Amino acid sequence: MSHPGNTTLDRADALFDVGRYEQAAALAAEHLATDPHDATALVLLARCQHRLGREREAFDSVETALLAEPDSLPGWLMRTHILLALKQYEEAELSARYSVELAPNYWGSHYALGTVLDRSVRVERRREAYEAARTAVALAPEESDAHFLVGLTAQRNGDHRVAKQAYETALRLDPQSSEAHNNLSLLHLRRRWFRPGAWTKAAEGFVESAALDLNDRQARYNLETMAWGTAAGARWVALLGFVAAALGSAPVRTGASGGEALVPYLIGAAVLVGGWAGWALWITRRVPPRLRRPLLLVARGCKPVIAMAVAVGLLGLHSVVTLALWRADAGVVGGLGTPLFWAVVITYWVSRSALNRRAPTEGRGR
């Protein structure tokens, strides 16, 4: 926004645009020291305070701006976003509706209203949010945020086809939209059992989203969930291998000889090796090389993923040792295997619960 004849506010705007909110706020405050009733400067100060997480200060600033200029559209829109951050949804809705009254042909007013209504748990209000988002798109078809809101509200209402189209349009308009990458990936993840490559597309989108916004906790959590799911999925191979190794080596350990011992042993070994080889091949195809490093980095910093992977790995290693050391005492092998078996089962539920507790409490499109 340009401020003719006021270089201080122009500099503050420029600093805000590059994310230097403290410096921008200082310049806005410097200007307000000489003109305390400048609504434009007050709204700019409120925007800086909002980005810095100082919501109460931001609310005071925007209220002062609206006292100075009661019909300031930027002021009412900023007030809406601040009230949303304060979780004062009823007041936020009133501000958004007044913004629509002030500027019924401005896409941002409808966008603000749709954003507020989307927070509601009532189905009819979410449908109204979708209509508000569609109006925003009709007024400004070149605005990526408007298409994103259509996707978000359609996704909330269960219309995943429309949501997918809206997110794809948002990304065509703004390829750097981390939120659109993230939410489109969530839709791909829903189809992972029905469409080949959907899981890989979802992972690629989450990686892209996290790379575009390093503070996007939701994208990182989604990657943690995928990494945990990969480790948890391997538990079935580990459990199958455990049973195969135990049954295959049992005849040898009980004194059987010849074909009576050899056939079960070879079958058990084939099931163990085939199971892990098949799983490794499946994972190699599912997770291409470009995704392996990001997933490993995320997994390394996530305790639920590490716990699940360790439990599965130990049981898998025990199965290999059971077959390799077939002359070992059966009581020693079985005594260690049973706790490891139950450790996998228990770790699955405990780590799953721990992972759920890591989920961000709020986020767009979740």
PDB file of all heavy atoms in Angstrom, residues 19 31 35 57 69 88 116 152 169 206 235 258 269 288 347-348 354 364:
ATOM      1  N   GLY A  19       8.564  -9.313   6.207  1.00  0.00           N
ATOM      2  CA  GLY A  19       8.506 -10.045   7.467  1.00  0.00           C
ATOM      3  C   GLY A  19       9.247  -9.422   8.630  1.00  0.00           C
ATOM      4  O   GLY A  19       9.415 -10.072   9.672  1.00  0.00           O
ATOM      5  N   HIS A  31       5.375   7.292  13.537  1.00  0.00           N
ATOM      6  CA  HIS A  31       4.445   8.182  12.833  1.00  0.00           C
ATOM      7  C   HIS A  31       3.265   8.565  13.732  1.00  0.00           C
ATOM      8  O   HIS A  31       2.833   9.723  13.750  1.00  0.00           O
ATOM      9  CB  HIS A  31       3.928   7.493  11.569  1.00  0.00           C
ATOM     10  CG  HIS A  31       2.805   8.229  10.909  1.00  0.00           C
ATOM     11  ND1 HIS A  31       3.009   9.344  10.107  1.00  0.00           N
ATOM     12  CD2 HIS A  31       1.461   8.023  10.937  1.00  0.00           C
ATOM     13  CE1 HIS A  31       1.841   9.798   9.674  1.00  0.00           C
ATOM     14  NE2 HIS A  31       0.883   9.000  10.163  1.00  0.00           N
ATOM     15  N   ASP A  35       0.918  11.873  14.787  1.00  0.00           N
ATOM     16  CA  ASP A  35      -0.473  11.872  14.301  1.00  0.00           C
ATOM     17  C   ASP A  35      -1.198  10.658  14.900  1.00  0.00           C
ATOM     18  O   ASP A  35      -1.392   9.644  14.240  1.00  0.00           O
ATOM     19  CB  ASP A  35      -0.492  11.793  12.772  1.00  0.00           C
ATOM     20  CG  ASP A  35      -1.896  11.980  12.201  1.00  0.00           C
ATOM     21  OD1 ASP A  35      -2.852  12.143  12.998  1.00  0.00           O
ATOM     22  OD2 ASP A  35      -2.044  11.949  10.958  1.00  0.00           O
ATOM     23  N   GLU A  57      -2.786  -6.203  22.120  1.00  0.00           N
ATOM     24  CA  GLU A  57      -2.291  -4.907  21.660  1.00  0.00           C
ATOM     25  C   GLU A  57      -2.843  -4.597  20.272  1.00  0.00           C
ATOM     26  O   GLU A  57      -3.226  -3.451  19.988  1.00  0.00           O
ATOM     27  CB  GLU A  57      -0.762  -4.905  21.625  1.00  0.00           C
ATOM     28  CG  GLU A  57      -0.101  -5.021  22.985  1.00  0.00           C
ATOM     29  CD  GLU A  57       1.413  -5.069  22.862  1.00  0.00           C
ATOM     30  OE1 GLU A  57       1.962  -4.418  21.955  1.00  0.00           O
ATOM     31  OE2 GLU A  57       2.050  -5.770  23.672  1.00  0.00           O
ATOM     32  N   GLU A  69     -11.861   6.322  12.360  1.00  0.00           N
ATOM     33  CA  GLU A  69     -12.488   6.173  11.035  1.00  0.00           C
ATOM     34  C   GLU A  69     -13.430   4.968  11.082  1.00  0.00           C
ATOM     35  O   GLU A  69     -13.045   3.855  10.743  1.00  0.00           O
ATOM     36  CB  GLU A  69     -11.409   5.975   9.976  1.00  0.00           C
ATOM     37  CG  GLU A  69     -11.933   6.060   8.554  1.00  0.00           C
ATOM     38  CD  GLU A  69     -10.836   5.914   7.519  1.00  0.00           C
ATOM     39  OE1 GLU A  69      -9.695   6.353   7.787  1.00  0.00           O
ATOM     40  OE2 GLU A  69     -11.129   5.346   6.441  1.00  0.00           O
ATOM     41  N   GLN A  88     -12.720 -15.349  19.575  1.00  0.00           N
ATOM     42  CA  GLN A  88     -13.993 -14.689  19.852  1.00  0.00           C
ATOM     43  C   GLN A  88     -14.817 -14.717  18.558  1.00  0.00           C
ATOM     44  O   GLN A  88     -14.935 -13.735  17.828  1.00  0.00           O
ATOM     45  CB  GLN A  88     -13.758 -13.263  20.348  1.00  0.00           C
ATOM     46  CG  GLN A  88     -12.994 -13.208  21.661  1.00  0.00           C
ATOM     47  CD  GLN A  88     -12.775 -11.787  22.160  1.00  0.00           C
ATOM     48  OE1 GLN A  88     -13.482 -10.858  21.781  1.00  0.00           O
ATOM     49  NE2 GLN A  88     -11.773 -11.614  23.013  1.00  0.00           N
ATOM     50  N   VAL A 116     -14.403 -17.026   8.773  1.00  0.00           N
ATOM     51  CA  VAL A 116     -15.016 -17.081  10.098  1.00  0.00           C
ATOM     52  C   VAL A 116     -16.045 -18.210  10.169  1.00  0.00           C
ATOM     53  O   VAL A 116     -16.042 -19.025  11.099  1.00  0.00           O
ATOM     54  CB  VAL A 116     -15.685 -15.741  10.451  1.00  0.00           C
ATOM     55  CG1 VAL A 116     -16.455 -15.857  11.768  1.00  0.00           C
ATOM     56  CG2 VAL A 116     -14.655 -14.633  10.547  1.00  0.00           C
ATOM     57  N   LEU A 152     -10.956 -25.415   0.916  1.00  0.00           N
ATOM     58  CA  LEU A 152     -11.047 -25.718   2.345  1.00  0.00           C
ATOM     59  C   LEU A 152     -12.489 -25.968   2.773  1.00  0.00           C
ATOM     60  O   LEU A 152     -12.792 -26.957   3.448  1.00  0.00           O
ATOM     61  CB  LEU A 152     -10.458 -24.558   3.143  1.00  0.00           C
ATOM     62  CG  LEU A 152     -10.442 -24.689   4.663  1.00  0.00           C
ATOM     63  CD1 LEU A 152      -9.616 -25.886   5.092  1.00  0.00           C
ATOM     64  CD2 LEU A 152      -9.905 -23.410   5.294  1.00  0.00           C
ATOM     65  N   THR A 169      -6.146 -25.136  -8.621  1.00  0.00           N
ATOM     66  CA  THR A 169      -6.220 -23.786  -9.178  1.00  0.00           C
ATOM     67  C   THR A 169      -5.414 -22.814  -8.320  1.00  0.00           C
ATOM     68  O   THR A 169      -4.682 -21.957  -8.845  1.00  0.00           O
ATOM     69  CB  THR A 169      -7.679 -23.311  -9.261  1.00  0.00           C
ATOM     70  OG1 THR A 169      -8.426 -24.218 -10.068  1.00  0.00           O
ATOM     71  CG2 THR A 169      -7.761 -21.914  -9.868  1.00  0.00           C
ATOM     72  N   PHE A 206       3.545 -32.833   1.084  1.00  0.00           N
ATOM     73  CA  PHE A 206       3.883 -32.463   2.458  1.00  0.00           C
ATOM     74  C   PHE A 206       5.317 -31.957   2.551  1.00  0.00           C
ATOM     75  O   PHE A 206       5.604 -30.999   3.283  1.00  0.00           O
ATOM     76  CB  PHE A 206       3.697 -33.661   3.394  1.00  0.00           C
ATOM     77  CG  PHE A 206       2.260 -34.069   3.590  1.00  0.00           C
ATOM     78  CD1 PHE A 206       1.914 -35.412   3.662  1.00  0.00           C
ATOM     79  CD2 PHE A 206       1.259 -33.122   3.698  1.00  0.00           C
ATOM     80  CE1 PHE A 206       0.591 -35.797   3.841  1.00  0.00           C
ATOM     81  CE2 PHE A 206      -0.069 -33.494   3.875  1.00  0.00           C
ATOM     82  CZ  PHE A 206      -0.400 -34.838   3.945  1.00  0.00           C
ATOM     83  N   ARG A 235       4.990 -53.839  10.967  1.00  0.00           N
ATOM     84  CA  ARG A 235       4.775 -54.750  12.102  1.00  0.00           C
ATOM     85  C   ARG A 235       4.145 -56.063  11.645  1.00  0.00           C
ATOM     86  O   ARG A 235       4.402 -57.119  12.235  1.00  0.00           O
ATOM     87  CB  ARG A 235       3.914 -54.080  13.177  1.00  0.00           C
ATOM     88  CG  ARG A 235       2.416 -54.021  12.866  1.00  0.00           C
ATOM     89  CD  ARG A 235       1.690 -53.143  13.879  1.00  0.00           C
ATOM     90  NE  ARG A 235       0.245 -53.196  13.715  1.00  0.00           N
ATOM     91  CZ  ARG A 235      -0.431 -52.528  12.805  1.00  0.00           C
ATOM     92  NH1 ARG A 235       0.216 -51.747  11.927  1.00  0.00           N
ATOM     93  NH2 ARG A 235      -1.752 -52.628  12.735  1.00  0.00           N
ATOM     94  N   GLY A 258      16.045 -85.103   9.202  1.00  0.00           N
ATOM     95  CA  GLY A 258      15.664 -85.390   7.823  1.00  0.00           C
ATOM     96  C   GLY A 258      14.637 -84.409   7.295  1.00  0.00           C
ATOM     97  O   GLY A 258      14.593 -83.235   7.646  1.00  0.00           O
ATOM     98  N   ALA A 269      11.988 -70.177   6.585  1.00  0.00           N
ATOM     99  CA  ALA A 269      13.000 -69.250   6.068  1.00  0.00           C
ATOM    100  C   ALA A 269      12.487 -68.518   4.831  1.00  0.00           C
ATOM    101  O   ALA A 269      12.718 -67.313   4.661  1.00  0.00           O
ATOM    102  CB  ALA A 269      14.280 -70.019   5.743  1.00  0.00           C
ATOM    103  N   PRO A 288      10.164 -42.864  -3.374  1.00  0.00           N
ATOM    104  CA  PRO A 288      11.276 -42.647  -4.301  1.00  0.00           C
ATOM    105  C   PRO A 288      12.454 -41.978  -3.586  1.00  0.00           C
ATOM    106  O   PRO A 288      12.288 -41.407  -2.504  1.00  0.00           O
ATOM    107  CB  PRO A 288      10.672 -41.727  -5.370  1.00  0.00           C
ATOM    108  CG  PRO A 288       9.503 -41.079  -4.710  1.00  0.00           C
ATOM    109  CD  PRO A 288       8.981 -42.056  -3.722  1.00  0.00           C
ATOM    110  N   THR A 347       3.608 -51.313  21.698  1.00  0.00           N
ATOM    111  CA  THR A 347       4.233 -50.095  21.153  1.00  0.00           C
ATOM    112  C   THR A 347       3.356 -49.461  20.082  1.00  0.00           C
ATOM    113  O   THR A 347       3.306 -48.232  19.960  1.00  0.00           O
ATOM    114  CB  THR A 347       5.625 -50.406  20.574  1.00  0.00           C
ATOM    115  OG1 THR A 347       6.444 -50.949  21.600  1.00  0.00           O
ATOM    116  CG2 THR A 347       6.283 -49.147  20.014  1.00  0.00           C
ATOM    117  N   TYR A 348       2.684 -50.298  19.299  1.00  0.00           N
ATOM    118  CA  TYR A 348       1.797 -49.759  18.263  1.00  0.00           C
ATOM    119  C   TYR A 348       0.776 -48.804  18.878  1.00  0.00           C
ATOM    120  O   TYR A 348       0.603 -47.675  18.421  1.00  0.00           O
ATOM    121  CB  TYR A 348       1.096 -50.898  17.525  1.00  0.00           C
ATOM    122  CG  TYR A 348       0.015 -50.415  16.570  1.00  0.00           C
ATOM    123  CD1 TYR A 348       0.351 -49.956  15.309  1.00  0.00           C
ATOM    124  CD2 TYR A 348      -1.322 -50.394  16.957  1.00  0.00           C
ATOM    125  CE1 TYR A 348      -0.626 -49.494  14.435  1.00  0.00           C
ATOM    126  CE2 TYR A 348      -2.310 -49.937  16.093  1.00  0.00           C
ATOM    127  CZ  TYR A 348      -1.957 -49.492  14.839  1.00  0.00           C
ATOM    128  OH  TYR A 348      -2.934 -49.024  13.987  1.00  0.00           O
ATOM    129  N   ALA A 354       0.768 -41.354  21.378  1.00  0.00           N
ATOM    130  CA  ALA A 354       1.761 -40.283  21.522  1.00  0.00           C
ATOM    131  C   ALA A 354       1.824 -39.419  20.268  1.00  0.00           C
ATOM    132  O   ALA A 354       1.974 -38.195  20.343  1.00  0.00           O
ATOM    133  CB  ALA A 354       3.135 -40.885  21.822  1.00  0.00           C
ATOM    134  N   ARG A 364      -5.043 -24.524   9.265  1.00  0.00           N
ATOM    135  CA  ARG A 364      -5.990 -24.400   8.171  1.00  0.00           C
ATOM    136  C   ARG A 364      -6.106 -25.721   7.450  1.00  0.00           C
ATOM    137  O   ARG A 364      -5.141 -26.348   7.068  1.00  0.00           O
ATOM    138  CB  ARG A 364      -5.533 -23.313   7.208  1.00  0.00           C
ATOM    139  CG  ARG A 364      -5.514 -21.940   7.824  1.00  0.00           C
ATOM    140  CD  ARG A 364      -4.988 -20.915   6.850  1.00  0.00           C
ATOM    141  NE  ARG A 364      -5.917 -20.646   5.796  1.00  0.00           N
ATOM    142  CZ  ARG A 364      -5.710 -19.759   4.834  1.00  0.00           C
ATOM    143  NH1 ARG A 364      -4.595 -19.059   4.796  1.00  0.00           N
ATOM    144  NH2 ARG A 364      -6.594 -19.562   3.887  1.00  0.00           N
TER     145      ARG A 364
END
